[in-house]
């Protein structure tokens, strides 16, 4: 049902995933030049920002996660499918960190490479926790509905 607590969790996942698209994930220093690392890629910090290293996978993943969370909210009549979609969403969230680490590993081959993380990099971890809470509450609803069916 739309008024359940798991709906709030799934909508928070959507909001944080959309915020990941626009906030910087890390700041990278390489060869004396500072770059902002966000979901679209590595941008220079100069006045007209210039994209130097595109990372389209990091952009597509939060979009898919947000869409999947919204879809999960509206299939409330099929709770088992909701749980499966939430588990798939958790796998995608863990994959976000894997892809981010891969891109950082590719960039670390340059001399003088240093990076600092930003707050938006914690959003997938927060989303994983919210996803776990949503799975628990959807499961509790399923147990409640099945117990009420036994009484009939």
């Amino acid at each position: 049902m739309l008024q359940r607590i798991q709906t709030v969790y799934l909508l928070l996942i959507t909001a944080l995933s959309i915020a990941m698209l626009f906030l910087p994930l890390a700041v990278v220093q390489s060869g004396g030049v500072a770059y902002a690392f966000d979901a679209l890629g590595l941008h220079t910090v100069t006045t007209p920002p210039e994209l130097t290293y595109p990372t389209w996978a990091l952009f597509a993943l939060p979009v898919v996660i947000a869409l999947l969370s919204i879809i999960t909210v509206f299939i409330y009549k099929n709770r088992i499918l909701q749980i499966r979609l939430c588990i798939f969403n958790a796998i995608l969230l863990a994959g976000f960190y894997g892809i981010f680490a891969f891109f950082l590993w590719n960039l670390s081959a340059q001399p003088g490479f240093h990076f600092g993380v930003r707050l938006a990099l914690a959003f997938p971890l927060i989303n994983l926790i919210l996803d776990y809470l949503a799975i628990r509450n959807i499961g509790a609803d399923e147990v409640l509905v099945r117990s009420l069916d036994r009484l009939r």
Side-chain angles (χ1 to χ4, degrees), residues 36-116:
F37 194 148
D38 61 2
L40 282 175
L42 207 59
H43 297 277
T44 58
V45 188
T46 58
T47 305
E50 180 183 331
L51 182 66
T52 58
Y53 186 73
T55 57
W56 292 105
L58 275 180
F59 180 77
L61 213 50
V63 170
V64 170
I65 290 167
L67 287 174
L68 198 59
S69 296
I70 288 292
I71 290 169
T72 305
V73 167
F74 290 108
I75 57 169
Y76 57 89
K77 289 185 180 181
N78 192 349
R79 287 169 298 280
I80 300 299
L81 181 61
Q82 259 189 329
I83 291 172
R84 288 181 182 160
L85 287 178
C86 283
I87 291 170
F88 182 66
N89 209 1
I91 293 169
L92 290 177
L93 286 165
F96 181 85
Y97 281 124
I99 292 172
F100 181 77
F102 173 75
F103 283 127
L104 272 183
W105 181 70
N106 281 342
L107 292 171
S108 67
Q110 299 175 0
F113 176 80
H114 300 288
F115 77 97

Side-chain angles (χ1 to χ4, degrees), residues 119-146:
L119 179 66
L121 194 59
F123 289 171
L125 180 63
I126 296 168
N127 283 348
L128 271 171
I129 294 167
L130 291 171
D131 202 28
Y132 170 73
L133 292 173
I135 290 170
R136 258 186 40 190
N137 286 313
I138 294 168
D141 282 352
E142 180 66 18
V143 168
L144 179 68
V145 167
R146 286 183 188 230

